[in-house]
Each structure stands twice: as structure tokens, then as C-alpha cells.
Amino acid sequence: MLAMPEMNRIRKLREKKGLSIAEISRETGYNWRTVKKYADGGISVQPTIKRKKGMMEEEGYGQIIDDWLEEDAKLPRKQRRTNKTMFEALCRDHGFQGSYRTVCAYVQKRRPQLKLEKEQRYERLEHPPGEAQVDFGKMTVVTKEGKEEERSVLIVSFPYSNAAFAYPLPAENSECFLHGLTQLFRQAGGVPKALRIDNLSAAIVSIRKGGERQFTEAFEKFQLYYRFDVQVCNPYSGHEKGNAERKVYYTRNLCFVPAPLIESDPELVEWLHRKMVEDRNRPHYEKGRLIEELWQEERPELLALPEQDLPIFSLDHAYVNKYGEVMVDGKAFVVHGLSVPNRVLVKKEWDRFFVLSPDGGIHLEMPRPYTNVKREIPWKEIFAEWETKPQVVGHSRYGAYLPEAIRTYLAGTPPQVAARLKGLRALLDRCTLYEIAQWLDENQRWDLAPHEIGVLMEAEQSHYPAKWKESYTPSVLIDYETDLTVYDQRLHPVREGVSRDESRGERDL
């Protein structure tokens, strides 16, 4: 293709000077076909797209990298290939002869292009007042015993006002899900007219042909009792309840980073509700008004709560094996007072279960196993990090989880703190941090080194045999106390204030 000045020259020679095609070809040196094209033909007004050619496009290496980028986009970021990894794989497996910079430039160009190609345009949703979205989020808390526990926090968000309510639960099964919704409806003061959910196993059994959902019997009964409509998202379409997805992320950063220290579950419920109410005193991200004002406008649109909450439980049959055990949530529990083998009824609530006899008698009542799942805080590893930087103890996120006695014990100069951290790490092989804290609380010995504390703790835990009762001593001598004054006067008469003559006279007697 000729440049624009050459095209303009050929056109002037043809139209203004009247030269023939052959004459123009001889004067310009261009082929007569080229001259005819630009002398008598029209000029295209369509933009010409220049495609940059190179070994990446022409030799197929670019397609290989495109496949890798699309494959990696489905993986967590830490598991994706780096530019260096792709370059080395091209050289090793595909005979690539180019440079590392060529690969980097291609990846930098193609990654956003591939993202745009796969990106879908979604219609902007208008959220009417009174409709809500629901989702679970995994959060971590720390108990007063210093152990980490997972909580599945159920969040109901209202996109119209951006108000949200959260309730912590030990699991994401059907009983927990419905119990959590009941409590959140109570916190909101009403029932949303429509509830958008994803394909939760706690509510949906299967997806039938044509996209129809088969709900669990318990969820259908719950929906009928509270009179709300259900809107189910398409599979793998979390954007269809984007407000709840975003609210889970926001709540985690607002309330659970770092993990809060809790005394009990009721305290956690009250604290979390208070935090979510306080969060409404901020402007809506789009409407500019306070979320609390918008929520007060939206609240009258909710359906009225029933007078009584629907009891949430499930009933399953179970068998008592020859060892007198019944399996509940994958764990064996011994049931006394029943002949074996036997068939019993298990009633499961969100936090407890009951083993019932055929006539309704309760043979066993226990917390559900998942309510006792706890993780120890790795204090040895944390102390090892603190030992290298003792000044970090005062502002570390884990400092808030230390028992008060340990915080007091670690208050001192950096060298002293480092030495005590090293000793405590060794002491943790024999006892827990909270046993050490309890001993310090009881004895108030802040001056001792950790190894001295360990010796005294072991001495207190030692068991000595009971004193034998002997019957040989006469009863008159039991508890008899000897007066040693006479012996002192005879051995040291001067020191005891007795003259030598008196002492000699006493000896003569």
C-alpha cells in the first residue's frame, strides 16, 4: 500500500496533467496495476487495522500463551503461572527461540484483551424496597480460652437501602440456615417480600431439567410459613446477588479482621448486631443519603412477622449398634438404657440433638459435634517471631488474645521480654499457656524466670503417698511437745542467764 503523498501524486498526474497509465508508471516507477488502482480507482474510507505480526502470532506461540492465561484465570492467583514460568515452558517444551521480554510484552497485551473478550454485559438491576439477598461467609473468632473457632455468618442484605443483618452459626446445614433466617427476620422487624439465594444445599436438593429447583421439604415449609417469594440465582452466577456477596466481604473486614475475642455466643450475637446497626450511619454508596434513612423508608415494605417462630428441627431414624452407639453427624455416641441392636429416632436442632425412643422418651441429649470444633492458637510459632522483635508484643494482633497474667509477665525491657518468650516456648511443651497464666494469677510471682515457674508448677502437681497411721506410740505421748529450755540451760548456762554454781548444783541433784 502506497503512502498518501504518492497516492496524491499519481492522482494529479492522471487528472491534471492527463498522462496515461503507462506514462505515469514510467515516471513513478510503480507497476501499471498499482498506478491504475490509485489513478482511476476510489479511495477507501474504511479505517485500516494494522496487525502487528511476529513470531508469537505467526508461529503459534501466542495461542499457547492464550490457552494458559484462560486456564489460569479459573485458578486461585497463587496457583497461576508467572511470566517466567511460561517463558521456561515455551523454551523447554515447544522450542521457543524468542526472548523473555517478548513473552512479557505479549502477556501484558493479551491478558486484558482476553478478559474483555470473556466479560459479559449484565443489565443493571433495579432493586425495589422490601427485597433481600442472603449469603453465608466464613469468619474466625477467638474464645476466652484462647482458641480459634470458625463461624458461618449468615447475612441478609437489602439492596435498596444497603442495610444488612448478620447472625453467626456453627455450620451451614438446613437447621442452622433456617434458624439464622428466623433470627435475622426478628432483627429486621419483618420478613422480606422476596429473598434471593444461590444454590445452597441447605435449601435446594437438586436442579431439574430446564433449571427448575427442587427445594428441601423443610425450606418449603419455612417459605410457606413466612410467606416470602424465592428468587434463585443461576449456577455459577454470584453477580445475580452481588449486594450480598459484597456485604460478606465488607462485614468480614468491618467486624472480623482481626478476629474478635468473645466470651460466649450470645455475646457475639449481640455485639455483631450492634456493629451492623452502627454501620448504617454512613452514606449510601450511590444515593448519597444515610443508609439508616433509606432503611426506615424500606422497613414498612416488609411483611409482618408471625406471632410465633416456626420450630426448626429435623427427624431421622438411626440404629443403635451392638456397642450401644448411635451415629450423629458422623460421630458415635453411646446411648444407655436401650437393648441392642435397636432403632431410634434422632431429633436435630441447630445446636443440639436428642435420641428419642419410639414412645417419645429422651435417652440422650447432647450438643451437635460441630459446635465443639476449635483450633489452638499456635503460640509457640508466634512467640518465636516475637522473640526476634520483642517490641512488637504490644501492638501485635495476637497480643489481645494473651491472658492478662501473661501480658503482665511480658511487660519489661526488650532483652527481658525476649528471654521470657524463649523460656515460655520451652515451657509450652509441658503445659498450656492458660495453665501458666492461672499459676501466675494465683501466686503473683512476676520475678521468676519461666524455667523456675515450670519447676514450681511440677512440684505442686506431684503426688506424695498418704501418711501411714501407726499404733505403737502410747496415747500420752501423741502430740506431746518437749520443752527444750532445760537442755539449753545445761548446754549454755551463761547464754541462758544461769550461773555456773546453779547449773552445777542442778547437775548434782
Side-chain angles (χ1 to χ4, degrees):
M1 180 178 180
L2 298 182
M4 192 61 67
E6 293 299 323
M7 294 166 55
N8 192 33
R9 180 190 174 195
I10 292 172
R11 181 63 62 89
K12 287 181 179 179
L13 291 174
R14 180 65 165 168
E15 295 181 356
K16 294 187 178 181
K17 291 188 177 182
L19 299 181
S20 65
I21 298 298
E23 290 172 338
I24 297 174
S25 177
R26 285 194 297 268
E27 183 173 338
T28 60
Y30 295 120
N31 186 278
W32 71 271
R33 292 185 180 87
T34 303
V35 172
K36 183 173 178 58
K37 174 183 176 182
Y38 293 111
D40 297 335
I43 299 177
S44 175
V45 296
Q46 296 296 328
T48 302
I49 300 175
K50 288 187 177 181
R51 293 187 177 274
K52 185 177 179 181
K53 297 294 182 180
M55 65 185 308
M56 300 300 294
E57 291 83 0
E58 293 178 349
E59 300 181 21
Y61 296 115
Q63 184 60 47
I64 296 174
I65 291 183
D66 289 352
D67 294 340
W68 286 347
L69 292 175
E70 291 181 0
E71 184 181 30
D72 288 353
K74 303 173 185 178
L75 300 174
R77 184 172 294 275
K78 291 184 178 181
Q79 299 178 20
R80 298 176 185 174
R81 299 175 180 90
T82 62
N83 292 359
K84 184 177 180 182
T85 304
M86 288 187 280
F87 170 70
E88 293 174 347
L90 283 176
C91 295
R92 182 181 64 251
D93 302 330
H94 302 279
F96 182 69
Q97 299 297 322
S99 66
Y100 174 66
R101 293 187 63 182
T102 301
V103 174
C104 292
Y106 184 82
V107 172
Q108 185 179 9
K109 177 186 71 173
R110 284 298 289 161
R111 182 176 277 128
Q113 291 176 354
L114 291 173
K115 185 177 180 181
L116 288 175
E117 291 171 7
K118 294 184 69 68
E119 190 176 38
Q120 299 178 359
R121 295 182 178 271
Y122 302 108
E123 181 182 356
R124 185 175 182 85
L125 297 176
E126 293 295 335
H127 301 286
E131 292 190 359
Q133 300 176 4
V134 64
D135 199 9
F136 272 110
K138 287 288 187 183
M139 316 290 179
T140 302
V141 299
V142 177
T143 65
K144 62 180 180 181
E145 294 85 9
K147 297 183 179 180
E148 293 182 329
E149 293 186 4
E150 289 285 347
R151 290 290 187 274
S152 295
V153 178
L154 184 65
I155 294 177
V156 169
S157 65
F158 292 84
Y160 175 82
S161 63
N162 202 30
F165 300 87
Y167 193 84
L169 296 160
E172 298 182 12
N173 55 32
S174 178
E175 295 83 17
C176 288
F177 176 58
L178 299 181
H179 172 76
L181 283 180
T182 303
Q183 300 304 315
L184 292 174
F185 292 166
R186 287 291 175 187
Q187 290 183 10
V191 180
K193 293 184 290 187
L195 192 66
R196 183 176 290 272
I197 65 173
D198 56 16
N199 296 278
L200 288 167
S201 60
I204 297 175
V205 177
S206 63
I207 303 177
R208 297 173 177 171
K209 188 175 181 179
E212 182 184 357
R213 269 64 170 185
Q214 179 185 357
F215 296 105
T216 64
E217 183 180 350
F219 184 71
E220 288 181 334
K221 182 178 179 181
F222 185 86
Q223 178 192 356
L224 181 64
Y225 186 79
Y226 286 97
R227 312 180 322 281
F228 60 88
D229 295 329
V230 179
Q231 301 170 352
V232 185
C233 299
N234 292 313
Y236 311 107
S237 301
H239 63 274
E240 294 181 0
K241 57 176 184 62
N243 188 266
E245 296 273 352
R246 184 65 183 174
K247 192 65 70 174
V248 170
Y249 174 80
Y250 179 81
T251 304
R252 180 180 290 109
N253 290 329
L254 176 69
C255 303
F256 294 91
V257 177
L261 185 65
I262 65 169
E263 292 286 335
S264 62
D265 283 325
E267 178 193 328
L268 175 61
V269 170
E270 181 181 353
W271 173 81
L272 187 56
H273 177 57
R274 186 169 63 251
K275 291 284 287 185
M276 300 304 287
V277 171
E278 292 173 355
D279 184 63
R280 297 204 293 260
N281 294 315
R282 61 183 176 91
H284 189 279
Y285 63 92
E286 191 176 58
K287 299 178 181 179
R289 298 171 57 192
L290 289 179
I291 295 176
E292 179 63 29
E293 295 178 3
L294 295 170
W295 169 243
Q296 294 304 326
E297 292 179 4
E298 183 176 17
R299 190 172 179 179
E301 299 294 329
L302 303 181
L303 303 176
L305 284 166
E307 294 183 359
Q308 295 182 349
D309 293 335
L310 179 69
I312 306 299
F313 63 89
S314 64
L315 293 174
D316 295 309
H317 288 285
Y319 290 91
V320 182
N321 61 24
K322 62 181 181 180
Y323 304 106
E325 297 172 341
V326 62
M327 297 295 295
V328 178
D329 294 337
K331 187 175 180 180
F333 293 87
V334 178
V335 182
H336 299 284
L338 287 175
S339 59
V340 295
N342 206 334
R343 191 175 185 222
V344 293
L345 198 63
V346 178
K347 177 184 177 182
K348 297 179 183 178
E349 297 181 355
W350 72 277
D351 60 340
R352 306 187 68 78
F353 73 90
F354 306 83
V355 177
L356 309 175
S357 61
D359 59 356
I362 298 177
H363 287 283
L364 181 67
E365 178 184 353
M366 292 284 289
R368 294 190 71 165
Y370 53 67
T371 60
N372 297 319
V373 178
K374 301 178 181 179
R375 298 193 308 265
E376 295 285 349
I377 296 179
W379 288 117
K380 292 187 67 174
E381 290 77 6
I382 295 170
F383 285 177
E385 294 180 3
W386 287 356
E387 188 180 337
T388 59
K389 296 182 290 185
Q391 65 274 11
V392 81
V393 176
H395 52 268
S396 170
R397 70 161 59 188
Y398 293 100
Y401 310 142
L402 286 172
E404 185 63 33
I406 300 298
R407 281 203 295 270
T408 303
Y409 185 66
L410 293 178
T413 61
Q416 183 184 22
V417 172
R420 290 189 170 185
L421 286 170
K422 183 177 181 180
L424 287 174
R425 276 201 300 124
L427 192 55
L428 287 176
D429 291 331
R430 293 177 284 169
C431 51
T432 67
L433 187 67
Y434 293 87
E435 290 174 345
I436 302 172
Q438 184 179 2
W439 189 91
L440 286 170
D441 272 334
E442 293 174 354
N443 296 275
Q444 299 291 309
R445 293 299 306 270
W446 315 109
D447 57 318
L448 298 179
H451 71 276
E452 296 173 326
I453 295 175
V455 171
L456 294 177
M457 291 178 67
E458 290 182 354
E460 291 181 359
Q461 295 172 0
S462 300
H463 297 284
Y464 296 96
K467 179 184 279 188
W468 289 358
K469 184 177 181 181
E470 52 90 12
S471 58
Y472 299 102
T473 304
S475 59
V476 294
L477 298 179
I478 296 177
D479 298 328
Y480 177 78
E481 293 185 4
T482 304
D483 186 5
L484 300 179
T485 306
V486 178
Y487 295 96
D488 292 338
Q489 291 176 353
R490 290 179 178 249
L491 293 173
H492 302 283
V494 176
R495 183 176 299 176
E496 298 297 329
V498 180
S499 64
R500 291 183 177 274
D501 295 337
E502 293 177 353
S503 177
R504 186 181 300 108
E506 291 178 359
R507 285 199 300 271
D508 294 340
L509 294 175

